[in-house]
Amino acid sequence: SGQSGENDSRPVEWAVCSVCKRLYREPKILPCLHTFCLDCISHLEPFSVHAGRNRDAPERKGSDGETPKEKAAPITVTVLCPDCDSEVDLPPSGPAGLTTDHLALDEVFLETLVRNGPLGCDLCGEGRAESRCEICCVNLCEFCFQAHRRQTRTASHSIQQLQDLKSQGRLCRPVLCAFHPGQELRLFCQPCDLPVCLECAATLHSEHRCSPAHEVIGCHGDHIRTLVTVRLRPRLQRLEQTLQKVEGSQEALQTRVEATANEVRAFARGYASAVEAHCLALLRCLEELHIQRKNQLHLQRAQLQQALSDVHGGVDFADRLLSCGSDAEILSTKGVTLRRLSSEVSGYPVVGVIHFKPLDPNKCTIDGQGLQQANEGQQAHFTLVCRNSSGDQMARGGDHVLVSIVHREKKNCVVESTVVDNNDGSYKVSYTPDEAGTYSVWVCVKAQHVKGSPFILNVTKKLRLHTGVFHCCSFCSSGGAKEARCGCPGTMPGGFQGCGHNHKGHPGKPHWSCCGSTTEKSECLPASVIKAVSAGKHVRTIEL
């Protein structure tokens, strides 16, 4: 029997073969549970042909429980399912031996009704079918319907109008025996595991145990239902979840690939831009060097031309004097002529080839204490000397020098620096730190660190001038004499003359303290901080 929903919501593919794209004609079920027309299966090309038992057929055993030995192994033809591409074996009798898909036949009949297709009479083949015998599964015209009713064997068959079947959207009919036409498969043979009709049970299966179908359907149906519920549906859910994860991974992979591709393209564009910028910088540097060397050579050429002109003039004058002048004329002009000619011989050096060696940041040096030590609020200096690959100081300036001074703990604390080009290969760097601490000093020439960069700079707190009155601690300076007094009449908080320090456990070293301090506790100053230590004498200004 078959069942479907409303006519407009029935899936059309249930009645259509996926190979020929038409309504099923003699639908057969392959072992992979996909249904195709008998003719479509017959036209499938064999995937393999081998001798042996059909691997999809159940193993039959004799009455003694042993598998009967076959005289000749059957030839098994294997084909590929057009839907799932699985390898399936056809029965030895060919595609016709496959199980008929009765559900597909029901769907074909219902689809034909829905489409209002012409149904001819299955008995006479001439009239238009108007009714259907549910027992014989034939469509009947009006004449054949009356004849069907008059025959004794078919008079009790259930016949319904096709219009009623179309309006109901349902089709319930019996499955008939293939060996005994008109006989319904009402029994089930347990040993053969096959549904049979009454005549089959009385003849072919007379020695077998045959039970009514409605008695055994519960056992076999529950077995299928349990297999689907306990094993297949959980596996179906796991497969669906795994498929979702794989699809999610595919999407994530595609997203990551696209993001990486964009990063690669951005890096390539940035790299190409950096190469182009570096190329332009090198060309500018080359052009600057060209202009510099060109100017030098132009100056030297002008000097040489002037020297050549001067020498020519002296030589021409001397030749004319010696060839045309009298003795008196020569002797009278001898002095000035010799002085001129002597100066031309020794006064014009001959310039040779100009050698140029490029600047090498690894050979550059830094002089000055301002690179390592500085005081808070005080200007500090150091000098950068640019050298070439031979270690010689460059004779020119114009190099790009970058100096960066950053607090090592406070990244937002940056010290501004000033670089002065001395035009002789040296550069004076000046800066004034506003906060004490440890700094990193980066010194770069042409975007490259010089040797030792970055350097460590320690900035100490600035010295301040104390304008108060100080005197020696009488107790400590006298070696612990309680009667010792400072030379001044000043007193400390608490009425003590001297530092007012609690001397219990005091080391007894000479130190200084402020007289007349207005604080609750005067601070003792170690002698190492005070430049002038003199017992009993006042010091009004001390650098701390």
Side-chain angles (χ1 to χ4, degrees):
S1 63
Q3 181 176 352
S4 64
E6 297 298 330
N7 294 344
D8 56 351
S9 62
R10 290 176 58 257
V12 179
E13 60 269 15
W14 289 355
V16 177
C17 176
S18 62
V19 175
C20 62
K21 308 301 181 184
R22 294 185 296 177
L23 295 178
Y24 284 116
R25 303 178 309 281
E26 297 185 74
K28 296 293 183 179
I29 305 175
L30 291 178
C32 60
L33 300 184
H34 289 131
T35 302
F36 305 96
C37 299
L38 175 61
D39 188 56
C40 295
I41 298 176
S42 301
H43 286 82
L44 294 178
E45 295 185 2
F47 180 75
S48 64
V49 178
H50 55 88
R53 186 179 65 84
N54 190 326
R55 59 187 175 185
D56 295 319
E59 184 177 356
R60 303 294 177 87
K61 295 184 179 181
S63 59
D64 56 354
E66 298 292 334
T67 301
K69 296 183 179 179
E70 299 179 358
K71 295 182 179 180
I75 301 300
T76 301
V77 177
T78 302
V79 296
L80 296 179
C81 174
D83 279 355
C84 63
D85 206 29
S86 300
E87 298 179 18
V88 293
D89 294 337
L90 298 179
S93 58
L98 293 170
T99 303
T100 300
D101 191 345
H102 296 282
L103 295 177
L105 289 175
D106 296 343
E107 293 297 333
V108 170
F109 179 66
L110 290 177
E111 185 65 23
T112 304
L113 290 179
V114 171
R115 295 182 181 182
N116 293 321
L119 294 176
C121 180
D122 293 335
L123 295 183
C124 66
E126 297 180 357
R128 181 184 179 88
E130 296 180 357
S131 59
R132 179 178 178 83
C133 178
E134 295 185 350
I135 304 300
C136 300
C137 297
V138 292
N139 300 325
L140 305 173
C141 63
E142 182 62 27
F143 179 80
C144 294
F145 167 73
Q146 298 298 334
H148 209 69
R149 283 294 191 189
R150 288 193 294 269
Q151 294 181 12
T152 304
R153 187 174 62 88
T154 60
S156 61
H157 288 186
S158 175
I159 299 177
Q160 290 191 2
Q161 296 296 316
L162 295 181
Q163 192 65 28
D164 296 337
L165 293 176
K166 178 180 178 181
S167 61
Q168 294 174 5
R170 303 180 60 185
L171 179 62
C172 298
R173 63 179 180 82
V175 179
L176 302 181
C177 180
F179 300 102
H180 304 93
Q183 292 293 325
E184 183 179 355
L185 300 178
R186 296 177 179 272
L187 303 177
F188 185 79
C189 179
Q190 298 285 356
C192 298
D193 196 29
L194 291 173
V196 295
C197 65
L198 292 175
E199 293 187 19
C200 289
T203 56
L204 301 177
H205 302 269
S206 59
E207 298 181 357
H208 295 174
R209 179 185 175 185
C210 296
S211 304
H214 67 274
E215 293 182 0
V216 299
I217 188 61
C219 175
H220 294 280
D222 290 343
H223 179 68
I224 297 175
R225 190 176 296 105
T226 301
L227 183 62
V228 171
T229 304
V230 176
R231 301 186 61 181
L232 293 183
R233 290 196 183 277
R235 175 175 172 80
L236 181 63
Q237 294 178 356
R238 290 194 299 269
L239 289 175
E240 291 176 348
Q241 294 174 357
T242 304
L243 179 60
Q244 292 178 356
K245 291 181 180 179
V246 171
E247 292 176 349
S249 298
Q250 287 180 334
E251 295 178 358
L253 175 63
Q254 183 65 27
T255 303
R256 181 57 182 164
V257 167
E258 294 176 356
T260 304
N262 293 333
E263 292 178 2
V264 170
R265 295 188 187 97
F267 174 78
R269 290 193 296 267
Y271 192 80
S273 176
V275 171
E276 182 66 20
H278 185 61
C279 176
L280 296 177
L282 292 178
L283 292 177
R284 287 194 299 268
C285 181
L286 178 62
E287 183 63 23
E288 293 175 359
L289 181 62
H290 173 227
I291 294 175
Q292 182 181 2
R293 293 294 176 264
K294 181 179 178 180
N295 293 337
Q296 292 179 354
L297 293 176
H298 180 73
L299 177 60
Q300 292 175 355
R301 181 174 179 274
Q303 293 175 349
L304 290 174
Q305 287 178 344
Q306 183 63 40
L308 182 61
S309 176
D310 294 342
V311 172
H312 269 300
V315 170
D316 292 341
F317 181 82
D319 289 341
R320 186 168 60 85
L321 178 62
L322 294 176
S323 61
C324 300
S326 61
D327 294 340
E329 290 174 342
I330 294 174
L331 292 176
S332 62
T333 58
K334 173 182 71 68
V336 64
T337 301
L338 290 177
R339 284 194 299 271
R340 177 60 177 173
L341 295 179
S342 298
S343 63
E344 290 177 356
V345 171
S346 60
Y348 298 95
V350 178
V351 180
V353 180
I354 299 176
H355 296 280
F356 171 74
K357 293 184 179 180
L359 184 147
D360 187 355
N362 290 327
K363 297 296 180 67
C364 296
T365 58
I366 296 180
D367 298 329
Q369 291 296 326
L371 184 63
Q372 298 176 348
Q373 296 289 338
N375 293 325
E376 179 184 1
Q378 295 183 1
Q379 191 179 52
H381 314 275
F382 63 86
T383 302
L384 168 66
V385 179
C386 294
R387 302 182 183 276
N388 57 25
S389 56
S390 299
D392 299 328
Q393 181 174 340
M394 302 293 292
R396 58 174 180 80
D399 295 313
H400 180 64
V401 178
L402 174 64
V403 178
S404 176
I405 305 176
V406 181
H407 201 287
R408 301 191 68 179
E409 296 180 356
K410 302 177 181 179
K411 299 303 180 181
N412 58 347
C413 181
V414 180
V415 179
E416 298 293 335
S417 59
T418 304
V419 180
V420 178
D421 189 352
N422 297 326
N423 295 319
D424 59 354
S426 64
Y427 301 84
K428 183 179 179 181
V429 181
S430 304
Y431 64 93
T432 302
D434 295 331
E435 186 174 345
T438 304
Y439 291 77
S440 293
V441 182
W442 290 27
V443 181
C444 300
V445 180
K446 292 187 175 180
Q448 297 184 35
H449 285 274
V450 300
K451 187 176 181 180
S453 177
F455 302 92
I456 303 301
L457 171 64
N458 293 318
V459 178
T460 59
K461 291 186 177 181
K462 63 181 180 180
L463 299 178
R464 58 186 178 87
L465 295 180
H466 192 284
T467 57
V469 179
F470 289 81
H471 64 228
C472 168
C473 173
S474 306
F475 180 82
C476 297
S477 300
S478 63
K482 296 182 179 180
E483 295 80 8
R485 293 291 184 269
C486 182
C488 72
T491 60
M492 305 303 297
F496 292 96
Q497 278 194 336
C499 66
H501 191 279
N502 182 6
H503 293 94
K504 183 178 181 180
H506 196 277
K509 295 182 179 179
H511 61 279
W512 292 75
S513 180
C514 179
C515 286
S517 174
T518 58
T519 60
E520 294 182 359
K521 181 179 179 181
S522 60
E523 181 182 3
C524 290
L525 305 177
S528 58
V529 178
I530 302 177
K531 295 183 179 179
V533 179
S534 177
K537 294 184 179 179
H538 287 80
V539 181
R540 291 188 176 275
T541 302
I542 297 178
E543 287 188 351
L544 302 180

